Amino acid sequence: MKKIAILGSTGSIGTQTLEVVRGNADLQVVALAAGSSVEKMEAQIREFHPEIAGMWGEKEARDLQERVADLDVKIASGMEGLLEMATWPESQVLVTAIVGMIGIRPTIAAIQAGKDIALANKETLVTAGHIIIPLAKKYGVSILPVDSEHSAIFQSLNGEPADKIEKILLTASGGPFRGWTREALAHVQVEDALRHPNWSMGRKITIDSSTLVNKGLEVMEARWLFGVELDRIQVLVHPQSILHSAVQFVDGAIMAQMGVPDMKLPIQYALFYPDRRSMAGGRVDFFTLGQMTFEKPDPDTFDGLRLAYEAARAGGSMPTVYNAANERAVGLFLDRKIAYLQISELIGEAMGHHRVVREPGVEEILAAEQETYEYIAGRISRK
Ligand code: NAD
Ligand code: MG
């Protein structure tokens, strides 16, 4: 029996992780955490019987407590609750399916408690990779990528060391606005940006996919996960989303992982690694597919990608500013307070305003996040 904890269980990755649990009788959920959807959490508790469950808000946690009073489950809330669930003694693997930098502290605590991490929460690595990766090494725990591209790279690497990698080929679908001009992008509405051609995901990451900021975050994620310098990570736009990423080795061989776009595969692979389990679902038929195409990304139109490389090169606290500014800007766009192109504009401005802190600790990372939030709030109220 493999026992797992899921932070962010009501979201897109969280619910797909629970589908994987339904398909594998030897997986058991011992802890579940979510933000605010009490009703969904109640249903999950009744189906999966975790030992502990938590809501971010205290009010929601009290509501949940009343709803499940007939069950033997501990209810927790806030950061304290997330930390308790991340380090729950019975759990072996923590699935980080939460959005944003809120994942940093629980991930660190879980590593220190010796839990393997099935990592979906890329913001944690982007902003604190320099802390997380050495810490995982120190405690001898595995960081198993759930992000589809990184899972593809991990599967293609198949244990070969970083010095055998010549290049990482990171694929991107290009999103719904592939080939568009900036003039056209100026008029994009929320509904247009939420329509991803190939993947069904949470709202924030769907917007990030359309701006290519998601790919920018993934470049930084790949750099930490695989220990490869930035100029050896190449982004390829591949609109069919069948080749999920590849590794080019020092002898010129390229190994890639392909399949239909379905997050359950990388989730299941991370949970059972190194075992590959059978899984029902779609299969690629190359005759129906006909062709796979590749294009260079356009960093002038999609300047969120260009800014990501800038943030990664600046290093230190700059990726935090990139990430935090994007998070706020995406929120403002979803609330229809700013135009689509202002997302990357605000990221660039926040980065220009920031003085980099080298090797930031968790407190300094969270301070840079706060500073960026305040900067963006000030920028918007002045408009
Ligand atoms: P989502 O918005 O669908 O779900 C987020 C989950 O986190 C929800 O359960 C929500 O309740 C919970 N949550 C939010 N704030 C919380 C808080 N303060 N305390 C406790 N729980 C909280 O997001 P998602 O699309 O599932 O993405 C999750 C992470 O996985 C992100 O980092 C994203 O970049 C990454 N990711 C997602 C996909 C995908 O296909 N959705 C693919 C690759 C990577
Ligand atoms: Mg991805």
Side-chain angles (χ1 to χ4, degrees), residues 30 105 182 330 374:
V30 292
R105 282 205 166 114
R182 285 187 75 82
V330 168
E374 280 160 23

Side-chain angles (χ1 to χ4, degrees), residues 122 147-150 205 214-215 218:
K122 63 189 86 182
D147 208 346
S148 58
E149 295 79 0
H150 304 75
I205 185 174
N214 182 51
K215 213 44 58 179
E218 290 186 353

Side-chain angles (χ1 to χ4, degrees), residues 176-177 184-190 193 206-212 302 333 338-345:
F177 310 130
L185 288 178
H187 306 291
V188 162
Q189 297 298 311
V190 172
T206 303
I207 302 294
D208 291 353
S209 299
S210 79
T211 56
L212 295 200
F302 296 94
F333 173 68
I338 62 168
Y340 186 72
L341 285 178
Q342 282 179 282
I343 298 175
S344 60
E345 228 173 81

